[in-house]
Amino acid sequence: MKSIIVTIQENRYSFSPLITISEFFNVDVDILFLKDISQDLDDSQYLENIKQQILKSGLKVDNEELNIFFFSIHGWFRRFFLSTVYILKKYFPDSLFIAGGPDVVGAPDLYFKYFDILSIQEGELFLIDLFELLQIIEKRMIDDLIISDIAFSYSQFSRINFKTINSPDKFFSEKQTKNLYVIPASLLRSKKFLIDYYIKNSEELSLTESLLEIINCKINQIDDYKDIFKFFPLFPIRNNFYHPLEIVRGCPQACKYCQVGYFFGKIPRCKDLDILKIFIFYQLKNNKKHIRFISPNLALYFEKCSISEKIDQWIQLIEDVQAYSYRFQIKPEIYLGSFPSELSLSYLNSEFLDFIAKYSASKILTIGVQTVSKELQNFIGRYDPLGILDEAIDFSVKKSLIPIIDIIFGLPYETDSHRDITLSFLEKKLNDNVTANIHYFLPIAGTPFEDFEPSPIGKNDLKRILNLQAKGFARGNFLKQMSDYRTRLKIPDNL
C-alpha cells in the first residue's frame, strides 16, 4: 500500500496529518509535486500541460499493491486538481482517489463524479479511520477487492466500533459504485491512535514517563471529536517535514467570506500547551530554529483569559523555548503576529504591541481588517474596533514594527462609498514603513457568500489601487485574482 500525495507549492502544508498517519501505519509516502499553470490556456492545452508534468515526474506505482492518490483542494485550484485527477485516473485506473480540503467540504456535490471517497470532516479523524480499515484489509489479504468495495467498506467501518469487526462479510456483503460522503469518525479510534502514537514515539520525542502519563490522561478525557486536534502531532517526525505550527482552529469572527468559522466553528480550539512544547523542542533538537504559527488570530491562543494573562503565558512559553534551546547552542527565532498568524485589531493595544516588538523575530505585523468601512464590516460579519486602527498603526511604527494591513476589494455589498473610505485611509497611511496586502474577493464554497459575484470596481478606484502598488505601498495578487477567478472556479468542459 502506498500513499501518493498530489500537491502544489501553495497547499503542501495541508498534507502534514496524512504523512504523520502514514508514518504511524508504516505506509510508504510518495509525492507528486506539480506546478500551477496559466489560466489563459484552453481546456485541451491545460490538460496537456498537466499530463506532461505527470509524465516528466517519473511517478511509478506497483500494480500489485493498493495505491491511494490524495488531494486537498482549495477553490482557487479547482480547475487544476479536477483536470489532474482526470488524467491520473486514465494512467492509474486501479488506484483509489480521495479528496478533502476546503472546496470539497464546502461543495462536495461538485466532486462526486471524480473521486472514490470524499472527506467532509476534519482530515485527521477521516484518515485515522481510513488507515485502520486498510490495515484490516491488508491483514486479511483480500486480494480481489475493487475500489468501490473500499469506498462502501469505509462508510460501514466508520459506523461501528473497531472491536466488533470479526468477519470480512460485515464489510463486503454489498457492492456500491457511487461515491460516498464520509460520516463522523470513531472518537474511540482517534483517541487510541493518539495514545499509541505518543507511546510509540516517546523516545524520539524525548517524553518522560510522567509527561507521557499526563498526555494519555488528557487524551482519555476527550469527549468531543473536535478536540482530537488539540493533541494531534504538529508535524511528521520521520520525514523531516517541518512547517508552521497550527495552534488554533475556529474563529469567533465568522466572516461571511471565510470558511474557517463555518467549518471549524466559532469557538477557538487551541493546541494543548504540552503538545506544542514537545514539537517545538523536537524542532530545536534537530537544529530547526525558525518557529512560526498558523492561527486565524495569534491572540486566540491561550483561550478564556485577558490580554495581560495571554501575554504572560506567551512570555512563559518563549522563555521555556529559549531555556531548552541553550542545550543545543542555538537561538530560536519565534515569529509572532505575521502571516500565517496575523493579529485582529481587537488585540492591538499598547501592551500586546510591546510584547510583539520585544519577542518577535520579525518586525512585520499583519493586521486583518479587510475594509475600513464600518458599514461594510457589519455586512460581512466583522466587528473590528476600527476607531483604534490609526492609533495602532502609529504606535506600531514607534515600536519599530512594520504594519501590513490586509484588505479585500470586491466584497459583496461593497459600494463606491465603502471603497473610497478604505482607499482614502490607505492613501493617507501607507508609506515605506506601512504597507497593505490587497486581495480580490473570491467566493468560497461553504460560506454565506459562496454564491455572490465580486462587486464591480470602477476604473477610477482600480487606478487608485494600481497607483498604491506602483509606489510599492501595496502588495498581493489582486490583479491576478481579479482576472483568473472565474476560470479557476470552472469545471472544465472536456472532463
Side-chain angles (χ1 to χ4, degrees):
M1 181 165 58
K2 179 189 283 188
S3 299
I4 303 169
I5 294 169
V6 184
T7 189
I8 54 178
Q9 176 77 11
E10 290 82 354
N11 76 335
R12 64 197 185 280
Y13 297 152
S14 62
F15 288 103
S16 181
L18 170 60
I19 299 172
T20 295
I21 293 170
S22 295
E23 283 180 351
F24 179 82
F25 286 105
N26 299 313
V27 174
D28 290 338
V29 177
D30 203 351
I31 298 177
L32 176 59
F33 213 116
L34 303 175
K35 291 184 178 180
D36 191 19
I37 55 181
S38 170
Q39 298 302 303
D40 296 333
L41 301 176
D42 64 32
D43 286 343
S44 296
Q45 294 170 321
Y46 199 83
L47 285 171
E48 181 63 24
N49 186 299
I50 294 173
K51 184 178 85 170
Q52 291 305 317
Q53 285 194 58
I54 293 170
L55 293 176
K56 290 177 182 178
S57 73
L59 176 67
K60 295 179 181 178
V61 302
D62 182 351
N63 292 325
E64 299 300 314
E65 66 178 0
L66 175 63
N67 299 287
I68 313 172
F69 287 86
F70 288 94
F71 292 70
S72 179
I73 304 175
H74 185 283
W76 185 247
F77 301 104
R78 182 185 293 170
R79 182 191 186 199
F80 182 87
F81 283 119
L82 285 178
S83 300
T84 301
V85 72
Y86 174 79
I87 295 169
L88 286 171
K89 291 180 89 168
K90 283 180 173 287
Y91 282 94
F92 309 105
D94 296 325
S95 300
L96 183 66
F97 291 85
I98 296 176
D103 205 42
V104 175
V105 172
D109 289 351
L110 294 178
Y111 291 92
F112 272 141
K113 177 181 175 183
Y114 306 97
F115 292 91
D116 301 301
I117 300 178
L118 305 178
S119 171
I120 59 169
Q121 64 191 76
E122 296 188 29
E124 296 90 345
L125 298 136
F126 161 72
L127 291 167
I128 290 169
D129 260 12
L130 177 70
F131 278 83
E132 289 277 13
L133 169 64
L134 294 175
Q135 293 292 307
I136 293 171
I137 291 172
E138 277 204 333
K139 287 176 183 176
R140 294 185 177 167
M141 295 182 290
I142 302 169
D143 296 326
D144 59 348
L145 192 66
I146 62 174
I147 296 305
S148 60
D149 286 327
I150 296 177
F152 176 74
S153 302
Y154 180 82
S155 73
Q156 300 304 298
F157 181 67
S158 59
R159 287 189 176 95
I160 56 181
N161 188 285
F162 179 69
K163 295 180 181 178
T164 66
I165 300 170
N166 298 312
S167 165
D169 295 339
K170 277 187 179 287
F171 298 131
F172 313 120
S173 57
E174 293 186 51
K175 297 276 199 290
Q176 185 169 330
T177 56
K178 76 172 187 175
N179 309 74
L180 296 156
Y181 284 104
V182 172
I183 63 174
S186 162
L187 180 59
L188 287 176
R189 268 197 298 278
S190 295
K191 289 164 67 171
K192 182 180 184 302
F193 168 84
L194 291 176
I195 290 171
D196 290 346
Y197 174 89
Y198 289 110
I199 292 173
K200 179 179 180 179
N201 295 293
S202 58
E203 184 174 350
E204 182 79 9
L205 293 170
S206 304
L207 304 184
T208 63
E209 286 188 16
S210 59
L211 181 54
L212 186 60
E213 185 177 344
I214 290 170
I215 292 169
N216 289 347
C217 182
K218 289 180 181 179
I219 292 170
N220 276 318
Q221 291 174 356
I222 295 174
D223 59 5
D224 186 332
Y225 74 93
K226 288 187 175 182
D227 288 337
I228 292 298
F229 160 75
K230 296 180 179 181
F231 299 92
F232 195 85
L234 283 122
F235 52 78
I237 60 174
R238 305 204 188 286
N239 277 277
N240 295 318
F241 183 35
Y242 300 99
H243 55 73
L245 308 175
E246 186 183 12
I247 57 173
V248 178
R249 277 190 185 166
C251 180
Q253 288 270 36
C255 305
K256 295 177 183 178
Y257 57 83
C258 176
Q259 200 185 46
V260 172
Y262 298 95
F263 181 36
F264 292 130
K266 295 181 181 180
I267 300 175
R269 287 170 282 146
C270 299
K271 188 68 73 174
D272 178 81
L273 183 57
D274 286 328
I275 299 298
L276 178 58
K277 284 183 181 180
I278 287 167
F279 282 87
I280 291 177
F281 292 171
Y282 183 84
Q283 279 192 232
L284 296 171
K285 186 175 70 171
N286 288 277
N287 203 33
K288 303 297 180 182
K289 64 180 183 178
H290 298 281
I291 300 168
R292 300 178 187 270
F293 303 103
I294 299 175
S295 172
N297 178 0
L298 180 74
L300 293 176
Y301 197 65
F302 297 117
E303 53 194 320
K304 297 179 181 178
C305 56
S306 68
I307 292 179
S308 295
E309 290 169 329
K310 285 176 182 288
I311 292 171
D312 288 343
Q313 291 183 78
W314 268 111
I315 291 173
Q316 184 61 59
L317 171 60
I318 291 168
E319 289 176 348
D320 289 346
V321 169
Q322 290 171 337
Y324 187 84
S325 69
Y326 293 151
R327 303 183 190 184
F328 309 103
Q329 297 183 324
I330 61 173
K331 184 179 180 181
E333 296 181 11
I334 303 172
Y335 294 82
L336 304 165
S338 55
F339 182 82
S341 57
E342 64 180 33
L343 272 169
S344 166
L345 192 55
S346 303
Y347 293 90
L348 287 187
N349 64 11
S350 59
E351 190 178 9
F352 213 102
L353 290 170
D354 278 334
F355 160 67
I356 297 289
K358 182 176 180 179
Y359 289 98
S360 180
S362 170
K363 295 301 180 183
I364 292 174
L365 177 70
T366 308
I367 306 172
V369 174
Q370 317 316 333
T371 176
V372 186
S373 164
K374 188 61 181 176
E375 183 177 58
L376 184 56
Q377 276 220 338
N378 291 338
F379 287 156
I380 66 175
R382 283 190 75 92
Y383 303 100
D384 292 317
L386 291 171
I388 70 168
L389 178 59
D390 209 326
E391 181 183 353
I393 291 172
D394 291 344
F395 190 84
S396 300
V397 173
K398 287 179 182 178
K399 289 292 178 179
S400 300
L401 294 171
I402 305 170
I404 300 177
I405 309 164
D406 266 344
I407 297 292
I408 301 174
F409 287 118
L411 286 161
Y413 304 110
E414 182 181 73
T415 66
D416 291 345
S417 175
H418 296 144
R419 209 159 34 249
D420 181 63
I421 291 170
T422 297
L423 282 167
S424 296
F425 180 85
L426 296 179
E427 288 164 345
K428 180 183 74 170
K429 295 300 293 186
L430 299 189
N431 52 51
D432 291 337
N433 297 316
V434 181
T435 60
N437 264 331
I438 295 181
H439 308 278
Y440 189 67
F441 168 71
L442 175 72
I444 295 177
T447 70
F449 284 169
E450 64 181 348
D451 295 323
F452 281 75
E453 287 286 310
S455 297
I457 299 175
K459 289 183 179 179
N460 185 57
D461 287 343
L462 184 58
K463 184 178 179 180
R464 294 169 73 183
I465 294 169
L466 295 179
N467 187 46
L468 289 171
Q469 291 185 327
K471 291 179 177 179
F473 299 162
R475 300 177 180 85
N477 294 318
F478 173 78
L479 285 179
K480 183 176 181 62
Q481 292 164 349
M482 192 175 185
S483 64
D484 284 4
Y485 91 94
R486 280 192 177 85
T487 309
R488 287 182 171 276
L489 289 174
K490 70 171 282 193
I491 296 175
D493 297 328
N494 55 349
L495 300 191

